[in-house]
Amino acid sequence: SIGIDCGVTHPFVTSEGDMHHLPGFTKGEQTRLYKLQRKLARQDKGSKSREITKRSMASLRHREIDRHKDVIEKLTTNLARNYDQIMIEDLKISNMTRSAKGTLTEPGKNVAQKTGLNRAILNSGWGLFAQRLEHKAAGRVTRVSPAYTSQTCNACRNACRKNRESQAIFHCRNC
């Protein structure tokens, strides 16, 4: 059996300590995207050249999305082949990425930071990962409540914040 922890810095961390990352843009692609964004800002709205620039930007973003999907497909296939019992956090992604704007009478706080966090969560691909894993390992995937999962010791069931020194290092204070 294996457990999978979903995070923003490290999208998928197994209970064996393996950290799986999703690839981003290459250096050249990042430079190209910045140049296209600057070019788009200078172009007239509704123009043909603006539509061409938008399509170029979209193709770059789709290339990144395809890379994410490829990594997720390979990881879920590997997990489904090698493990009989797979535990994954039952994250409520739509609740986690809800807007922090608030209303006119009660405006939200730290809206820009929340926007960045929402973007990082959605870019991590947790939903697609869980969906593909459940398709490939039907009946063998268990959804676990995410509350205190990264702080609880499996041996003695002690939950303490100090147990988790970093995402990679777990040391139970009770055992």
Side-chain angles (χ1 to χ4, degrees):
S1 66
I2 191 167
I4 298 155
D5 181 39
C6 299
V8 175
T9 309
H10 306 290
F12 310 108
V13 181
T14 64
S15 56
E16 296 174 346
D18 298 329
M19 295 184 191
H20 302 278
H21 300 278
L22 297 177
F25 288 118
T26 63
K27 197 83 163 160
E29 288 171 337
Q30 189 69 50
T31 304
R32 176 151 172 70
L33 183 63
Y34 287 150
K35 286 180 181 178
L36 287 171
Q37 287 172 337
R38 288 194 303 265
K39 184 178 177 183
L40 184 72
R42 292 189 303 266
Q43 291 173 335
D44 294 328
K45 290 184 181 177
S47 68
K48 188 81 168 175
S49 59
R50 185 177 172 93
E51 294 303 316
I52 293 169
T53 305
K54 280 184 177 180
R55 263 188 260 129
S56 298
M57 290 171 62
S59 70
L60 276 175
R61 289 203 174 100
H62 281 290
R63 193 176 302 159
E64 182 187 30
I65 290 167
D66 287 343
R67 284 186 194 135
H68 287 194
K69 286 181 181 177
D70 183 54
V71 168
I72 288 172
E73 288 294 331
K74 288 177 181 176
L75 179 58
T76 54
T77 300
N78 187 24
L79 290 170
R81 283 183 183 158
N82 296 329
Y83 296 98
D84 294 327
Q85 183 70 30
I86 304 166
M87 270 116 359
I88 187 167
E89 292 176 300
D90 188 19
L91 298 171
K92 308 290 185 235
I93 299 167
S94 60
N95 293 351
M96 293 171 71
T97 57
R98 192 168 288 142
S99 176
K101 283 184 183 176
T103 61
L104 287 174
T105 57
E106 294 180 31
K109 296 176 184 171
N110 300 327
V111 177
Q113 292 91 332
K114 179 69 170 135
T115 303
L117 177 63
N118 291 350
R119 191 174 293 125
I121 289 171
L122 293 172
N123 198 31
S124 295
W126 300 339
L128 178 65
F129 178 80
Q131 180 187 36
R132 295 303 297 143
L133 192 59
E134 286 178 342
H135 286 169
K136 292 177 183 182
R140 296 183 290 147
V141 177
T142 306
R143 294 229 177 201
V144 179
S145 172
Y148 306 106
T149 52
S150 62
Q151 300 171 1
T152 305
C153 176
N154 290 333
C156 66
R157 310 306 297 165
N158 176 37
C160 177
R161 185 181 304 172
K162 294 179 182 175
N163 284 349
R164 176 70 62 188
E165 296 172 21
S166 70
Q167 188 161 6
I169 301 169
F170 182 88
H171 181 72
C172 182
R173 302 285 185 233
N174 198 28
C175 292

PDB file of all heavy atoms in Angstrom, residues 67-90:
ATOM      1  N   ARG A  67       2.331  18.416 -21.253  1.00  0.00           N
ATOM      2  CA  ARG A  67       3.422  17.844 -20.449  1.00  0.00           C
ATOM      3  C   ARG A  67       2.912  17.413 -19.084  1.00  0.00           C
ATOM      4  O   ARG A  67       3.276  16.349 -18.582  1.00  0.00           O
ATOM      5  CB  ARG A  67       4.542  18.872 -20.271  1.00  0.00           C
ATOM      6  CG  ARG A  67       5.391  19.050 -21.475  1.00  0.00           C
ATOM      7  CD  ARG A  67       6.558  19.969 -21.172  1.00  0.00           C
ATOM      8  NE  ARG A  67       7.165  20.384 -22.415  1.00  0.00           N
ATOM      9  CZ  ARG A  67       7.525  21.626 -22.700  1.00  0.00           C
ATOM     10  NH1 ARG A  67       7.364  22.577 -21.819  1.00  0.00           N
ATOM     11  NH2 ARG A  67       8.061  21.916 -23.857  1.00  0.00           N
ATOM     12  N   HIS A  68       2.068  18.254 -18.468  1.00  0.00           N
ATOM     13  CA  HIS A  68       1.491  17.900 -17.171  1.00  0.00           C
ATOM     14  C   HIS A  68       0.676  16.618 -17.275  1.00  0.00           C
ATOM     15  O   HIS A  68       0.812  15.715 -16.450  1.00  0.00           O
ATOM     16  CB  HIS A  68       0.591  19.028 -16.659  1.00  0.00           C
ATOM     17  CG  HIS A  68       1.335  20.219 -16.179  1.00  0.00           C
ATOM     18  ND1 HIS A  68       0.742  21.207 -15.441  1.00  0.00           N
ATOM     19  CD2 HIS A  68       2.614  20.606 -16.313  1.00  0.00           C
ATOM     20  CE1 HIS A  68       1.620  22.142 -15.144  1.00  0.00           C
ATOM     21  NE2 HIS A  68       2.767  21.799 -15.683  1.00  0.00           N
ATOM     22  N   LYS A  69      -0.175  16.539 -18.296  1.00  0.00           N
ATOM     23  CA  LYS A  69      -1.007  15.352 -18.483  1.00  0.00           C
ATOM     24  C   LYS A  69      -0.161  14.104 -18.696  1.00  0.00           C
ATOM     25  O   LYS A  69      -0.485  13.031 -18.185  1.00  0.00           O
ATOM     26  CB  LYS A  69      -1.955  15.547 -19.666  1.00  0.00           C
ATOM     27  CG  LYS A  69      -3.104  16.477 -19.372  1.00  0.00           C
ATOM     28  CD  LYS A  69      -4.017  16.611 -20.579  1.00  0.00           C
ATOM     29  CE  LYS A  69      -5.158  17.562 -20.307  1.00  0.00           C
ATOM     30  NZ  LYS A  69      -6.009  17.750 -21.483  1.00  0.00           N
ATOM     31  N   ASP A  70       0.931  14.234 -19.443  1.00  0.00           N
ATOM     32  CA  ASP A  70       1.814  13.106 -19.715  1.00  0.00           C
ATOM     33  C   ASP A  70       2.433  12.582 -18.421  1.00  0.00           C
ATOM     34  O   ASP A  70       2.446  11.374 -18.175  1.00  0.00           O
ATOM     35  CB  ASP A  70       2.898  13.514 -20.712  1.00  0.00           C
ATOM     36  CG  ASP A  70       3.801  12.359 -21.091  1.00  0.00           C
ATOM     37  OD1 ASP A  70       3.265  11.309 -21.516  1.00  0.00           O
ATOM     38  OD2 ASP A  70       5.035  12.501 -20.954  1.00  0.00           O
ATOM     39  N   VAL A  71       2.921  13.494 -17.578  1.00  0.00           N
ATOM     40  CA  VAL A  71       3.528  13.084 -16.311  1.00  0.00           C
ATOM     41  C   VAL A  71       2.488  12.426 -15.414  1.00  0.00           C
ATOM     42  O   VAL A  71       2.750  11.389 -14.792  1.00  0.00           O
ATOM     43  CB  VAL A  71       4.183  14.298 -15.600  1.00  0.00           C
ATOM     44  CG1 VAL A  71       4.565  13.967 -14.172  1.00  0.00           C
ATOM     45  CG2 VAL A  71       5.407  14.754 -16.371  1.00  0.00           C
ATOM     46  N   ILE A  72       1.290  12.991 -15.357  1.00  0.00           N
ATOM     47  CA  ILE A  72       0.225  12.428 -14.527  1.00  0.00           C
ATOM     48  C   ILE A  72      -0.174  11.043 -15.027  1.00  0.00           C
ATOM     49  O   ILE A  72      -0.351  10.114 -14.233  1.00  0.00           O
ATOM     50  CB  ILE A  72      -0.979  13.392 -14.465  1.00  0.00           C
ATOM     51  CG1 ILE A  72      -0.624  14.600 -13.597  1.00  0.00           C
ATOM     52  CG2 ILE A  72      -2.224  12.691 -13.931  1.00  0.00           C
ATOM     53  CD1 ILE A  72      -1.646  15.717 -13.618  1.00  0.00           C
ATOM     54  N   GLU A  73      -0.293  10.871 -16.332  1.00  0.00           N
ATOM     55  CA  GLU A  73      -0.636   9.559 -16.895  1.00  0.00           C
ATOM     56  C   GLU A  73       0.423   8.515 -16.546  1.00  0.00           C
ATOM     57  O   GLU A  73       0.097   7.395 -16.137  1.00  0.00           O
ATOM     58  CB  GLU A  73      -0.800   9.640 -18.414  1.00  0.00           C
ATOM     59  CG  GLU A  73      -2.041  10.354 -18.880  1.00  0.00           C
ATOM     60  CD  GLU A  73      -3.329   9.644 -18.530  1.00  0.00           C
ATOM     61  OE1 GLU A  73      -3.340   8.398 -18.421  1.00  0.00           O
ATOM     62  OE2 GLU A  73      -4.342  10.332 -18.361  1.00  0.00           O
ATOM     63  N   LYS A  74       1.690   8.857 -16.698  1.00  0.00           N
ATOM     64  CA  LYS A  74       2.765   7.909 -16.402  1.00  0.00           C
ATOM     65  C   LYS A  74       2.820   7.570 -14.917  1.00  0.00           C
ATOM     66  O   LYS A  74       3.011   6.408 -14.545  1.00  0.00           O
ATOM     67  CB  LYS A  74       4.103   8.478 -16.870  1.00  0.00           C
ATOM     68  CG  LYS A  74       4.243   8.487 -18.374  1.00  0.00           C
ATOM     69  CD  LYS A  74       5.533   9.113 -18.818  1.00  0.00           C
ATOM     70  CE  LYS A  74       5.627   9.132 -20.329  1.00  0.00           C
ATOM     71  NZ  LYS A  74       6.830   9.832 -20.813  1.00  0.00           N
ATOM     72  N   LEU A  75       2.639   8.573 -14.058  1.00  0.00           N
ATOM     73  CA  LEU A  75       2.685   8.350 -12.617  1.00  0.00           C
ATOM     74  C   LEU A  75       1.517   7.491 -12.150  1.00  0.00           C
ATOM     75  O   LEU A  75       1.707   6.542 -11.383  1.00  0.00           O
ATOM     76  CB  LEU A  75       2.684   9.698 -11.876  1.00  0.00           C
ATOM     77  CG  LEU A  75       2.717   9.658 -10.360  1.00  0.00           C
ATOM     78  CD1 LEU A  75       3.933   8.911  -9.859  1.00  0.00           C
ATOM     79  CD2 LEU A  75       2.696  11.074  -9.802  1.00  0.00           C
ATOM     80  N   THR A  76       0.306   7.780 -12.628  1.00  0.00           N
ATOM     81  CA  THR A  76      -0.853   6.989 -12.216  1.00  0.00           C
ATOM     82  C   THR A  76      -0.774   5.557 -12.742  1.00  0.00           C
ATOM     83  O   THR A  76      -1.153   4.622 -12.030  1.00  0.00           O
ATOM     84  CB  THR A  76      -2.172   7.638 -12.679  1.00  0.00           C
ATOM     85  OG1 THR A  76      -2.121   7.880 -14.088  1.00  0.00           O
ATOM     86  CG2 THR A  76      -2.427   8.941 -11.939  1.00  0.00           C
ATOM     87  N   THR A  77      -0.253   5.370 -13.939  1.00  0.00           N
ATOM     88  CA  THR A  77      -0.086   4.020 -14.480  1.00  0.00           C
ATOM     89  C   THR A  77       0.900   3.230 -13.626  1.00  0.00           C
ATOM     90  O   THR A  77       0.650   2.069 -13.282  1.00  0.00           O
ATOM     91  CB  THR A  77       0.410   4.069 -15.938  1.00  0.00           C
ATOM     92  OG1 THR A  77      -0.548   4.775 -16.720  1.00  0.00           O
ATOM     93  CG2 THR A  77       0.603   2.677 -16.510  1.00  0.00           C
ATOM     94  N   ASN A  78       1.997   3.865 -13.258  1.00  0.00           N
ATOM     95  CA  ASN A  78       3.013   3.219 -12.417  1.00  0.00           C
ATOM     96  C   ASN A  78       2.441   2.839 -11.054  1.00  0.00           C
ATOM     97  O   ASN A  78       2.662   1.731 -10.561  1.00  0.00           O
ATOM     98  CB  ASN A  78       4.221   4.153 -12.260  1.00  0.00           C
ATOM     99  CG  ASN A  78       5.371   3.492 -11.547  1.00  0.00           C
ATOM    100  OD1 ASN A  78       5.499   2.270 -11.543  1.00  0.00           O
ATOM    101  ND2 ASN A  78       6.189   4.299 -10.922  1.00  0.00           N
ATOM    102  N   LEU A  79       1.692   3.749 -10.439  1.00  0.00           N
ATOM    103  CA  LEU A  79       1.090   3.469  -9.132  1.00  0.00           C
ATOM    104  C   LEU A  79       0.055   2.349  -9.227  1.00  0.00           C
ATOM    105  O   LEU A  79       0.013   1.461  -8.369  1.00  0.00           O
ATOM    106  CB  LEU A  79       0.445   4.739  -8.567  1.00  0.00           C
ATOM    107  CG  LEU A  79       1.401   5.844  -8.128  1.00  0.00           C
ATOM    108  CD1 LEU A  79       0.637   7.124  -7.835  1.00  0.00           C
ATOM    109  CD2 LEU A  79       2.221   5.413  -6.927  1.00  0.00           C
ATOM    110  N   ALA A  80      -0.770   2.367 -10.262  1.00  0.00           N
ATOM    111  CA  ALA A  80      -1.811   1.346 -10.423  1.00  0.00           C
ATOM    112  C   ALA A  80      -1.207  -0.037 -10.661  1.00  0.00           C
ATOM    113  O   ALA A  80      -1.760  -1.049 -10.216  1.00  0.00           O
ATOM    114  CB  ALA A  80      -2.737   1.717 -11.571  1.00  0.00           C
ATOM    115  N   ARG A  81      -0.086  -0.105 -11.344  1.00  0.00           N
ATOM    116  CA  ARG A  81       0.563  -1.393 -11.617  1.00  0.00           C
ATOM    117  C   ARG A  81       1.279  -1.958 -10.392  1.00  0.00           C
ATOM    118  O   ARG A  81       1.336  -3.167 -10.210  1.00  0.00           O
ATOM    119  CB  ARG A  81       1.585  -1.236 -12.742  1.00  0.00           C
ATOM    120  CG  ARG A  81       0.983  -1.165 -14.097  1.00  0.00           C
ATOM    121  CD  ARG A  81       2.044  -1.091 -15.162  1.00  0.00           C
ATOM    122  NE  ARG A  81       1.434  -0.940 -16.472  1.00  0.00           N
ATOM    123  CZ  ARG A  81       2.050  -0.449 -17.525  1.00  0.00           C
ATOM    124  NH1 ARG A  81       3.307  -0.035 -17.426  1.00  0.00           N
ATOM    125  NH2 ARG A  81       1.431  -0.345 -18.676  1.00  0.00           N
ATOM    126  N   ASN A  82       1.871  -1.084  -9.566  1.00  0.00           N
ATOM    127  CA  ASN A  82       2.763  -1.543  -8.506  1.00  0.00           C
ATOM    128  C   ASN A  82       2.153  -1.639  -7.117  1.00  0.00           C
ATOM    129  O   ASN A  82       2.790  -2.197  -6.222  1.00  0.00           O
ATOM    130  CB  ASN A  82       3.993  -0.640  -8.447  1.00  0.00           C
ATOM    131  CG  ASN A  82       4.817  -0.732  -9.714  1.00  0.00           C
ATOM    132  OD1 ASN A  82       4.858  -1.774 -10.365  1.00  0.00           O
ATOM    133  ND2 ASN A  82       5.449   0.362 -10.086  1.00  0.00           N
ATOM    134  N   TYR A  83       0.946  -1.099  -6.893  1.00  0.00           N
ATOM    135  CA  TYR A  83       0.394  -1.087  -5.541  1.00  0.00           C
ATOM    136  C   TYR A  83      -1.031  -1.611  -5.521  1.00  0.00           C
ATOM    137  O   TYR A  83      -1.829  -1.340  -6.410  1.00  0.00           O
ATOM    138  CB  TYR A  83       0.437   0.339  -4.951  1.00  0.00           C
ATOM    139  CG  TYR A  83       1.850   0.838  -4.791  1.00  0.00           C
ATOM    140  CD1 TYR A  83       2.432   1.669  -5.750  1.00  0.00           C
ATOM    141  CD2 TYR A  83       2.622   0.456  -3.703  1.00  0.00           C
ATOM    142  CE1 TYR A  83       3.727   2.101  -5.620  1.00  0.00           C
ATOM    143  CE2 TYR A  83       3.921   0.892  -3.559  1.00  0.00           C
ATOM    144  CZ  TYR A  83       4.473   1.709  -4.518  1.00  0.00           C
ATOM    145  OH  TYR A  83       5.769   2.124  -4.385  1.00  0.00           O
ATOM    146  N   ASP A  84      -1.344  -2.376  -4.444  1.00  0.00           N
ATOM    147  CA  ASP A  84      -2.680  -2.940  -4.281  1.00  0.00           C
ATOM    148  C   ASP A  84      -3.627  -1.953  -3.605  1.00  0.00           C
ATOM    149  O   ASP A  84      -4.815  -1.944  -3.898  1.00  0.00           O
ATOM    150  CB  ASP A  84      -2.616  -4.223  -3.445  1.00  0.00           C
ATOM    151  CG  ASP A  84      -1.871  -5.323  -4.171  1.00  0.00           C
ATOM    152  OD1 ASP A  84      -1.953  -5.364  -5.411  1.00  0.00           O
ATOM    153  OD2 ASP A  84      -1.206  -6.125  -3.503  1.00  0.00           O
ATOM    154  N   GLN A  85      -3.118  -1.173  -2.687  1.00  0.00           N
ATOM    155  CA  GLN A  85      -3.935  -0.209  -1.947  1.00  0.00           C
ATOM    156  C   GLN A  85      -3.293   1.168  -2.091  1.00  0.00           C
ATOM    157  O   GLN A  85      -2.135   1.349  -1.749  1.00  0.00           O
ATOM    158  CB  GLN A  85      -4.009  -0.607  -0.466  1.00  0.00           C
ATOM    159  CG  GLN A  85      -4.876   0.274   0.386  1.00  0.00           C
ATOM    160  CD  GLN A  85      -6.351   0.123   0.077  1.00  0.00           C
ATOM    161  OE1 GLN A  85      -6.799  -0.934  -0.336  1.00  0.00           O
ATOM    162  NE2 GLN A  85      -7.100   1.179   0.261  1.00  0.00           N
ATOM    163  N   ILE A  86      -4.054   2.146  -2.586  1.00  0.00           N
ATOM    164  CA  ILE A  86      -3.544   3.506  -2.791  1.00  0.00           C
ATOM    165  C   ILE A  86      -4.438   4.474  -2.031  1.00  0.00           C
ATOM    166  O   ILE A  86      -5.648   4.494  -2.242  1.00  0.00           O
ATOM    167  CB  ILE A  86      -3.517   3.866  -4.291  1.00  0.00           C
ATOM    168  CG1 ILE A  86      -2.699   2.837  -5.062  1.00  0.00           C
ATOM    169  CG2 ILE A  86      -2.962   5.262  -4.490  1.00  0.00           C
ATOM    170  CD1 ILE A  86      -2.872   2.902  -6.563  1.00  0.00           C
ATOM    171  N   MET A  87      -3.831   5.238  -1.120  1.00  0.00           N
ATOM    172  CA  MET A  87      -4.576   6.223  -0.346  1.00  0.00           C
ATOM    173  C   MET A  87      -4.209   7.620  -0.825  1.00  0.00           C
ATOM    174  O   MET A  87      -3.031   7.929  -0.996  1.00  0.00           O
ATOM    175  CB  MET A  87      -4.267   6.099   1.144  1.00  0.00           C
ATOM    176  CG  MET A  87      -5.181   5.161   1.820  1.00  0.00           C
ATOM    177  SD  MET A  87      -4.667   3.645   2.564  1.00  0.00           S
ATOM    178  CE  MET A  87      -3.106   3.192   2.519  1.00  0.00           C
ATOM    179  N   ILE A  88      -5.232   8.436  -1.043  1.00  0.00           N
ATOM    180  CA  ILE A  88      -5.024   9.794  -1.527  1.00  0.00           C
ATOM    181  C   ILE A  88      -5.924  10.733  -0.724  1.00  0.00           C
ATOM    182  O   ILE A  88      -7.004  10.338  -0.277  1.00  0.00           O
ATOM    183  CB  ILE A  88      -5.306   9.888  -3.047  1.00  0.00           C
ATOM    184  CG1 ILE A  88      -4.921  11.255  -3.575  1.00  0.00           C
ATOM    185  CG2 ILE A  88      -6.726   9.546  -3.371  1.00  0.00           C
ATOM    186  CD1 ILE A  88      -4.878  11.330  -5.086  1.00  0.00           C
ATOM    187  N   GLU A  89      -5.461  11.961  -0.541  1.00  0.00           N
ATOM    188  CA  GLU A  89      -6.241  12.936   0.211  1.00  0.00           C
ATOM    189  C   GLU A  89      -7.524  13.288  -0.534  1.00  0.00           C
ATOM    190  O   GLU A  89      -7.512  13.478  -1.742  1.00  0.00           O
ATOM    191  CB  GLU A  89      -5.425  14.217   0.415  1.00  0.00           C
ATOM    192  CG  GLU A  89      -4.246  14.051   1.337  1.00  0.00           C
ATOM    193  CD  GLU A  89      -3.433  15.315   1.426  1.00  0.00           C
ATOM    194  OE1 GLU A  89      -2.932  15.769   0.389  1.00  0.00           O
ATOM    195  OE2 GLU A  89      -3.308  15.844   2.545  1.00  0.00           O
ATOM    196  N   ASP A  90      -8.611  13.386   0.201  1.00  0.00           N
ATOM    197  CA  ASP A  90      -9.900  13.760  -0.375  1.00  0.00           C
ATOM    198  C   ASP A  90     -10.029  15.283  -0.317  1.00  0.00           C
ATOM    199  O   ASP A  90     -10.755  15.828   0.520  1.00  0.00           O
ATOM    200  CB  ASP A  90     -11.043  13.089   0.390  1.00  0.00           C
ATOM    201  CG  ASP A  90     -12.380  13.283  -0.271  1.00  0.00           C
ATOM    202  OD1 ASP A  90     -12.403  13.611  -1.475  1.00  0.00           O
ATOM    203  OD2 ASP A  90     -13.407  13.105   0.413  1.00  0.00           O
TER     204      ASP A  90
END
